[in-house]
Amino acid sequence: MEAEDKILVQRAKEGDQAAFKELVLRYQRKVYMIVYSMISNHQEAMDKTQEVFLRVHRHLPSFEGTSSFYTWIYRIAVNICIDHYRRRKLQSYEYDDSFKHGPALQEEVFPVVSSASRETPTGRLLREELAAKIRAALDKLPPKHRQVLILRELEGLSYQEIADVVGISIGTVMSRLFHARKKMQSRLSHYVN
Amino acid sequence: MSNKVECRDVREMLERFLDGELSPQEHDRVRNELAHCQECRQQLDRLQKLRALIREVYVEEVRRVNLDAVLPGVMTRIQNQERGWKERILAWLERYQIGLVSPAAPLGVAAALAAAVIAGTLIYATSGPTEGPDVGKARVEVAADDPAAPAEAESGTMLAGAQGTAADVLVQDASANRRSAHEEKPFKRNECYVTYYQVDSGTVIVDVDPDGDAPAVVWHFEGEGSPEPGEDNRI
C-alpha cells in the first residue's frame, strides 16, 4: 500500500492527473470517514472531503515524503475539521438536530449504495437507533478527545502516528484516549456492559 | 495468581494491550493476569465492545455512502482555481442566472474599498450605462494580497460578460488602498465565496477564504435572479 502510494504520489507531483485521481479514489472513503465522524453532517463532510483533496493537490509539490502519505492526508483532514470547529464556535453555528442525532442514513438526505434493502425493517431500526446513540455519545466528546479516538478506533493508527497527525506527544495521545474511552463507556454503558 | 497490585497495574495497561502498544514483556504480563482475573477480562471486554460498536456504526455507514461525487467535485474545484477570479465570478453569475436587473449608479471607489475592507476581499459592482433590463457593467476589484489574484488582475482588462448580464468586467488591483485586518495574514488559499449580493445596488461581496475553510457566509440576496439561500455559493 505505502509503496504504491509513493509511486502514485511521485507521478502526481510530476503532474500526472490520473495518478492524482487514483489517490483520491483510494483515500476518499477513509478521509470521508474521519471527517464525517468528526462533524456529523453528510453534506458538510462531502464538502470537507473535497477540500482535503484540494489541499492535497495544492501542497503535493511540497510533500517530501518524510511521513507516509496517509499520515499526511489524515493530518490535513484533522486540520480541516479543527478549522471547522473553530469557525463554528466563532459563528455559534447551530447544528440541525435532525442531522446530528436523527437517522443519518435516511436515503433522501444520505444517498447510499443499495445494501439497505437486504436488511429487515426491524434490524434496520435497531441499528439506526444504536448508531444514533453512538453518534450522540461521540458528538458530546470534546473535539480533541474525539479525534484521537477516531484515529485509533476507526483508522487503526498507532499512538506514534496519531501523535504525528495531531501534533501532540504520545503521552497526550494516551491520556486523551483514556478519557475518551472512559466517557464513551459511561455514556454507552447499556451496550458495553 | 492474581493480586490487587498486579490487577491494578494490568488494568492500566489494558488499553495499550488492546491497541497493540505494549512491549512483549508487558504483553505477556497482561495475558497472564487476564487468565486469572475476571474483572480485568470484563474491562477488556468493555473496551473491545466499545471499539466494535464505533466501528460497526461508522464503517458500516460510510461503506454505504455514495462517494461518486467526490472526485468530479475535486477536479471541478481544481479547475475553478486555475481559471482565475474574474472567470470564476462570471461563471458564478451565469450559474445562478443573475442578471443585473437595475444597475444603479456607479459605486464610488471609496465606498467600494470601504466595503472591501469590511468584506475583506472582492467587490463586484455595477457601473456604467444601462443597456437593457438585464444588462449592466461590472467592476471587479481584486484584493492583491491573494497570490492567485495579481496574475489575473490586470488593470483595465475587459471581458465578455456572462450570459444574461452582458457585463463588462474591469479588474483592478486594489492593493494600494487596501486596509484590513487580513493584511498581516495574507491570503494563501485560492477559494472564494460570494457572501453578499444586492441587486438593487448591484453589489456582490466575495469573501476570499483566508484560512482555507468556508468563511462565514451571509446571504442577503435580494431581487430577481438571486440564488436561493443554502445553495452552493462557492465561486
Side-chain angles (χ1 to χ4, degrees):
Chain A
M1 183 78 166
E2 274 198 55
E4 288 174 24
D5 281 354
K6 275 187 179 173
I7 294 167
L8 287 171
V9 166
Q10 188 53 42
R11 281 172 46 200
K13 283 174 80 166
E14 290 163 3
D16 183 341
Q17 205 173 60
F20 175 73
K21 287 179 179 175
E22 179 61 32
L23 286 169
V24 175
L25 293 174
R26 187 177 274 236
Y27 280 98
Q28 62 182 8
R29 204 162 289 276
K30 282 181 172 293
V31 168
Y32 175 86
M33 181 148 69
I34 289 178
V35 174
Y36 175 65
S37 56
M38 286 191 183
I39 64 182
S40 302
N41 179 302
H42 169 66
Q43 294 299 339
E44 284 184 310
M46 285 293 278
D47 183 64
K48 297 296 172 198
T49 300
Q50 290 184 14
E51 200 173 314
V52 169
F53 289 109
L54 272 183
R55 284 202 197 177
V56 167
H57 184 266
R58 192 180 300 135
H59 296 292
L60 204 53
S62 58
F63 175 64
E64 293 174 353
T66 48
S67 62
S68 61
F69 179 72
Y70 71 82
T71 308
W72 185 61
I73 200 170
Y74 289 171
R75 190 181 307 141
I76 291 173
V78 165
N79 285 338
I80 282 178
C81 290
I82 290 169
D83 286 347
H84 177 81
Y85 291 138
R86 286 185 184 142
R87 198 174 291 276
R88 197 174 57 176
K89 205 172 175 181
L90 283 174
Q91 294 173 9
S92 299
Y93 185 85
E94 294 290 334
Y95 260 134
D96 179 348
D97 279 347
S98 67
F99 258 131
K100 196 171 177 183
H101 301 301
L105 289 174
Q106 288 173 5
E107 296 192 18
E108 62 273 20
V109 296
F110 203 154
V112 297
V113 180
S114 60
S115 67
S117 56
R118 293 195 297 271
E119 198 171 13
T120 64
T122 310
R124 187 178 176 186
L125 264 178
L126 287 172
R127 185 175 52 74
E128 285 177 356
E129 184 187 310
L130 174 61
K133 286 201 162 96
I134 291 169
R135 273 198 301 275
L138 201 59
D139 285 346
K140 281 183 192 162
L141 289 180
K144 62 184 182 181
H145 288 170
R146 198 189 316 176
Q147 67 194 18
V148 293
L149 190 69
I150 287 161
L151 291 171
R152 176 58 233 166
E153 304 293 39
L154 292 183
E155 297 303 325
L157 263 57
S158 70
Y159 291 176
Q160 182 62 60
E161 286 171 328
I162 296 171
D164 290 344
V165 166
V166 184
I168 53 179
S169 68
I170 288 184
T172 308
V173 170
M174 288 165 60
S175 165
R176 288 183 184 177
L177 260 182
F178 172 78
H179 288 294
R181 282 170 164 155
K182 197 174 173 185
K183 286 174 188 164
M184 290 294 281
Q185 276 190 61
S186 162
R187 286 168 190 155
L188 298 170
S189 57
H190 178 68
Y191 299 98
V192 297
N193 286 326
Chain B
M1 196 64 178
S2 175
N3 62 60
K4 281 186 179 175
V5 174
E6 180 66 357
C7 182
R8 185 197 62 204
D9 289 351
V10 165
R11 290 275 192 97
E12 289 177 2
M13 292 195 279
L14 281 179
E15 288 193 47
R16 287 188 290 139
F17 176 79
L18 182 74
D19 294 334
E21 297 277 350
L22 291 179
S23 68
Q25 292 81 5
E26 290 172 321
H27 189 269
D28 289 346
R29 190 177 158 194
V30 173
R31 282 180 68 90
N32 186 49
E33 175 66 9
L34 285 170
H36 300 99
C37 177
Q38 190 180 2
E39 284 184 27
C40 285
R41 282 198 301 275
Q42 285 173 341
Q43 174 56 13
L44 181 64
D45 186 52
R46 284 192 284 271
L47 289 169
Q48 286 173 326
K49 276 183 183 163
L50 179 64
R51 169 173 294 178
L53 282 173
I54 294 172
R55 284 187 179 173
E56 189 178 316
V57 168
Y58 283 97
V59 173
E60 174 63 13
E61 269 195 13
V62 171
R63 189 183 65 79
R64 298 167 62 215
V65 175
N66 185 339
L67 295 176
D68 289 351
V70 171
L71 181 58
V74 171
M75 300 316 289
T76 300
R77 286 168 77 168
I78 289 171
Q79 197 180 20
N80 282 345
Q81 291 184 343
E82 289 167 354
R83 275 197 300 178
W85 298 117
K86 57 196 177 193
E87 289 88 348
R88 289 157 63 182
I89 291 169
L90 287 173
W92 183 86
L93 290 168
E94 185 175 5
R95 190 192 333 161
Y96 293 112
Q97 297 184 320
I98 293 175
L100 301 179
V101 179
S102 306
L107 198 67
V109 173
L113 288 172
V117 168
I118 295 166
T121 50
L122 303 176
I123 291 197
Y124 181 97
T126 58
S127 65
T130 301
E131 296 173 19
D134 290 324
V135 176
K137 287 191 174 181
R139 167 177 294 169
V140 178
E141 302 202 7
V142 180
D145 52 357
D146 169 18
E152 298 295 331
E154 296 168 18
S155 181
T157 301
M158 303 297 284
L159 294 177
Q163 187 177 11
T165 68
D168 291 330
V169 176
L170 174 64
V171 180
Q172 292 184 331
D173 183 344
S175 62
N177 298 302
R178 188 174 162 71
R179 298 283 184 277
S180 86
H182 291 308
E183 277 187 340
E184 293 177 5
K185 197 175 181 184
F187 299 135
K188 292 176 182 170
R189 313 299 182 202
N190 196 10
E191 286 277 302
C192 71
Y193 298 77
V194 168
T195 57
Y196 188 81
Y197 175 80
Q198 192 172 16
V199 171
D200 289 346
S201 68
T203 303
V204 176
I205 295 179
V206 184
D207 196 356
V208 176
D209 183 4
D211 296 320
D213 196 2
V217 178
V218 183
W219 291 93
H220 288 297
F221 286 83
E222 296 172 14
E224 201 175 328
S226 300
E228 292 297 319
E231 280 191 83
D232 185 2
N233 64 324
R234 187 183 305 116
I235 288 183

